[in-house]
């Protein structure tokens, strides 16, 4: 067998055996080095792991993870839910609408789907259950809506994409993800409202004059949370700070909100959040570090080049090939996390993208939308695992609802694929380089 095949089979075998993705990547890279390169090249393992994480933009990842944790624990989700409920009022599908909107706003703070899903599920699931929504439906809707966090800036996945793909402006990616993220949320909302109306879940009258004052009161309570995305995106657009500096600003703002405004976290809680963010960030950085071994071995052996040439040879039709790639990424998203997918697939897909002259910003958003679908599609479905745990139900109970929302978000993905300007108009208007 060729060294390429040894490396790929080692990676697949280790994953099947249940070895964590990070160690599967590192060990498979070492197998490739032993199979096709001088054994002395094993001395590069330490250098490759260090070089993979010694990149300034990566600082933003642990900081945005910490931001998400701070906002989750500081009562922000609860205040957003109260405001949205007061604004929308009791009507068929009202709480479903609230869940989607709050998930999208929370995604503009945390950049992490699972964190978004956990925060919103804790607040929304009890009230949705009391209003007559089945727990499997509610858990699936929140998991699907939380997946928009991978699109709506700031997004941890888009930060990594900007590092893996040379020359891509992170600010352009952030701007490009906004409208597709909103479109994905709206796509989920349509079937949610139709199903709610059909089964008669929740009902009542619109917000009356007596309740309008409550809208104002809840708006004041939610204002600090609503201002967070404005602060981050406004600072990036004005050039006041870089994306990495925006992460620092987001953390500082979250600390002020939690300690001084909502007063739901103390210094002791903050210390615990720092430790929790460090653990989560450590897992992410370990994957990135050990993936560096796999990437270096695949480059030196020519594995990625050979796979890219094989993919290009499948068809001369760029549309057909794009569909095949999207299906492959969707399948990968059902089994792996976004970070692993980018690190494994992008060395292969970059030559394909360049061959067909696909816009790298647009292509990155398509990949992110596909991975977002994978976050609530069994068998792995990280977001769905979080919400079903909160709801105390089995993952299998959500399968039918998950398929409904997969079809809905796939429709949004198809629109962005057919009309690239949905993603590219905003970054072009803002003057960012879109390639």
């Amino acid at each position: 067998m060729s060294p390429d095949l040894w490396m790929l089979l080692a990676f697949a075998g280790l994953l099947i055996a249940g070895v964590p993705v990070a160690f599967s990547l590192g060990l498979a890279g070492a197998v490739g080095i032993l199979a096709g390169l001088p054994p002395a090249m094993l001395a590069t393992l330490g250098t490759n792991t260090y070089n993979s994480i010694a990149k300034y933009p990566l600082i933003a990842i642990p900081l945005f993870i910490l931001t998400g944790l701070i906002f989750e624990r500081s009562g922000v989700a609860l205040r957003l839910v109260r405001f949205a409920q007061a604004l929308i009022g009791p009507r068929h599908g009202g709480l479903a609408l609230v869940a989607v909107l709050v998930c999208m706003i929370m995604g503009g703070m945390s950049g992490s789907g699972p964190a978004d899903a956990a925060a919103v599920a804790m607040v929304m699931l009890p009230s949705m259950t009391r209003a007559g929504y089945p727990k499997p439906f509610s858990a699936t809707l929140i998991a699907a809506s939380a997946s928009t966090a991978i699109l709506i800036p700031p997004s941890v996945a888009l930060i990594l994409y900007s590092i893996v793909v040379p020359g891509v402006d992170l600010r352009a990616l952030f701007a490009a993800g906004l409208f597709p993220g909103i479109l994905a949320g709206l796509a989920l909302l349509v079937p949610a409202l139709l199903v709610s109306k059909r089964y008669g879940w929740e009902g009542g009258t619109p917000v009356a004059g007596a309740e309008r004052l409550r809208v104002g009161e809840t708006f004041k309570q939610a204002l600090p949370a609503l201002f967070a995305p404005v602060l981050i995106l406004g600072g990036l657009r004005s050039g006041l700070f870089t994306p990495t500096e925006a992460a620092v600003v987001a953390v500082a703002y979250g600390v002020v909100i939690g300690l001084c405004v909502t007063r739901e976290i103390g210094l002791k809680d903050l210390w615990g959040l720092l430790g929790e963010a460090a653990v989560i960030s450590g897992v992410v950085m370990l994957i990135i570090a050990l993936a560096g071994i796999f990437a270096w071995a695949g480059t030196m052996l020519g594995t990625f080049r050979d796979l890219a040439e094989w993919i290009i040879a499948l068809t001369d039709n760029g549309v057909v090939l794009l569909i095949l790639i999207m299906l492959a990424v969707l399948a990968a998203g059902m089994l792996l996390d976004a970070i692993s997918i980018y690190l494994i697939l992008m060395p292969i897909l970059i030559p394909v993208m360049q061959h067909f002259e696909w816009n790298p910003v647009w292509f990155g958003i398509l990949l992110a939308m596909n991975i977002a679908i994978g976050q609530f599609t069994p068998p792995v479905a990280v977001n769905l695992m979080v919400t079903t745990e909160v709801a105390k139900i089995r993952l299998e109970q959500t399968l039918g609802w998950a398929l409904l929302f997969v079809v809905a978000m796939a429709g949004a993905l198809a629109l962005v694929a057919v009309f690239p300007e949905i993603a590219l108009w905003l970054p072009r208007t803002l003057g960012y380089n879109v390639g």
Side-chain angles (χ1 to χ4, degrees), residues 5 9 12 38 60 83-84 143 162 176 211 222-223 253-254 273 308 341 360-361 380 393 396 399 416 423:
L5 198 54
L9 287 176
F83 169 59
S162 71
E211 293 175 311
L223 190 58
Y253 182 73
L273 291 174
I341 292 171
V361 173
V380 176
I393 58 174
E396 308 90 77
L399 185 58
V416 177

Side-chain angles (χ1 to χ4, degrees), residues 23-34:
F23 295 106
S24 297
L25 288 167
L27 290 171
V31 168
I33 292 172
L34 286 172

Side-chain angles (χ1 to χ4, degrees), residues 144 147-152 155 157-158 161 176-188 326 329-330 333-334 338 341-342 361-377 405-420 422-423:
S147 71
T148 59
I150 204 174
L151 292 162
I152 297 174
S155 164
L158 293 181
Y161 180 85
L178 186 59
F179 286 159
I182 294 172
L183 180 62
L186 293 175
L188 296 171
M326 292 297 106
V329 174
L330 175 60
M334 294 164 61
I341 292 171
Y342 278 132
V361 173
W362 168 73
F363 188 66
I365 298 302
L366 290 182
L367 290 181
M369 293 187 78
N370 230 316
I371 295 170
I373 295 173
Q375 287 191 331
F376 62 92
T377 308
F405 293 126
V406 165
V407 171
M409 193 177 281
L413 170 63
L415 284 175
V416 177
V418 174
F419 303 104
I422 295 175

